[in-house]
Amino acid sequence: MPAFSRLVRFLAKNGKVYYGDAILPQGVTDLAKTKAARVIKGDIFGKHEVTDAVEDVRLLLAPLAPEDVRTVRCLGLNYALHAQEAGLPLPKYPVLFFKPATSLSGPTDPIPVHPIAQEELGLDYECELVVVIGKTARDVPESEALNYVLGYAIGNDVSHRDWQVARGGGQWSLGKGFDGWAPYGPGIVTTEVIKDPQTLQISTRLNGQTVQSSNTADQIFSVKKTIAFLSRGHTLLPGDLIWTGTPSGVGMGRNPKLWMKDGDVVEVELEGVGIVTNKVEFLKEGARL
């Protein structure tokens, strides 16, 4: 069991990067509002301590350092109403794809859109509950699955539908794996705080307009079922991320379609965790992040 309850990774005002246990005002649960945190020393997945040292937050970063992330597994079509809007039958098994670690970014980073993804309309948003694995897991029974979870974050599985569907050869990763297309955070709330991940409100706002509003209760495969299934013959490691699919309301499922464009601001929110806010930024040819 971790010593912290709300993990953030942040750039402090002294210029150093820390893991910390967020200090929030009474009654506030949005980790995006973290202004200070108690510094954590040690291995967040192993032996560590929350110290008495408090540092002011200059900028919240992606909740896990790049070296602490193992794999990024993602589920597709995992909300009943989303499968319905896509005109597809409910999957018999979880629909799995992977994102590269280079797609991960922080809770306020811009979403960079390479010129190759600017050619056609199709840039879409997807709010998702992100599960962070905290302990090595293999062949885990559903009844014990949550014991292997460190905590939860909110993420945006940014997708380009043309590259995902028409040009992907049946594989989704090409249209979902561009650099910076998986912003998540604003931190990680542990299972001691969020005891039931199937009761959480989840939503997306595009330029201030609510475009997705649902509850994780609509998931076809719950967090417990997902971990039990994915660990069958496959070892899940501390630092593995599982993105658990998006609810209905995506731009692809609307009539007319609603695609993100240069300069748009997209917010994804999860009850008990907070808000991730990112601005879409079309890059020029040859630009580097």
Side-chain angles (χ1 to χ4, degrees), residues 107-264:
T108 59
D109 292 341
I111 296 169
V113 183
H114 189 278
I116 195 174
Q118 299 171 23
E119 294 177 354
E120 303 288 344
L121 297 176
L123 188 63
D124 215 342
Y125 48 82
E126 291 192 6
C127 60
E128 303 205 6
L129 164 67
V130 180
V131 178
V132 183
I133 297 297
K135 297 191 298 184
T136 300
R138 189 176 189 276
D139 294 332
V140 172
E142 186 178 328
S143 60
E144 299 177 12
L146 296 187
N147 295 334
Y148 295 85
V149 175
L150 179 73
Y152 308 99
I154 177 69
N156 189 347
D157 175 20
V158 181
S159 308
H160 191 285
R161 301 307 187 184
D162 203 37
W163 280 110
Q164 175 192 348
V165 179
R167 305 179 187 182
Q171 302 293 322
W172 289 1
S173 293
L174 184 61
K176 289 173 169 281
F178 287 94
D179 290 350
W181 279 27
Y184 76 116
I188 298 168
V189 178
T190 68
T191 56
E192 286 299 301
V193 178
I194 296 179
K195 298 184 182 298
D196 185 356
Q198 305 309 141
T199 62
L200 306 175
Q201 290 297 118
I202 187 169
S203 62
T204 301
R205 289 180 295 278
L206 184 61
N207 298 322
Q209 177 186 354
T210 299
V211 289
Q212 289 183 285
S213 181
S214 186
N215 191 287
T216 54
D218 190 46
Q219 287 187 343
I220 300 166
F221 301 100
S222 67
V223 172
K224 289 181 180 180
K225 289 181 182 295
T226 296
I227 292 172
F229 178 82
L230 293 181
S231 69
R232 294 289 291 167
H234 297 75
T235 301
L236 305 180
L237 297 171
D240 280 355
L241 303 180
I242 303 174
W243 293 56
T244 59
T246 198
S248 60
V250 296
M252 181 178 63
R254 293 172 173 268
N255 186 17
K257 311 296 186 189
L258 178 62
W259 305 129
M260 294 192 295
K261 58 186 183 302
D262 188 29
D264 280 354

Side-chain angles (χ1 to χ4, degrees), residues 269-281:
E269 182 173 4
L270 182 66
E271 180 183 357
V273 173
I275 303 172
V276 165
T277 303
N278 310 96
K279 185 176 181 179
V280 177
E281 182 178 315

Side-chain angles (χ1 to χ4, degrees), residues 8-12 14-20 39-40 55 61:
V8 290
R9 179 171 158 265
F10 64 99
L11 174 66
N14 65 12
K16 297 181 180 180
V17 173
Y18 300 97
Y19 278 116
V39 173
I40 296 171
E55 293 290 344
L61 306 174

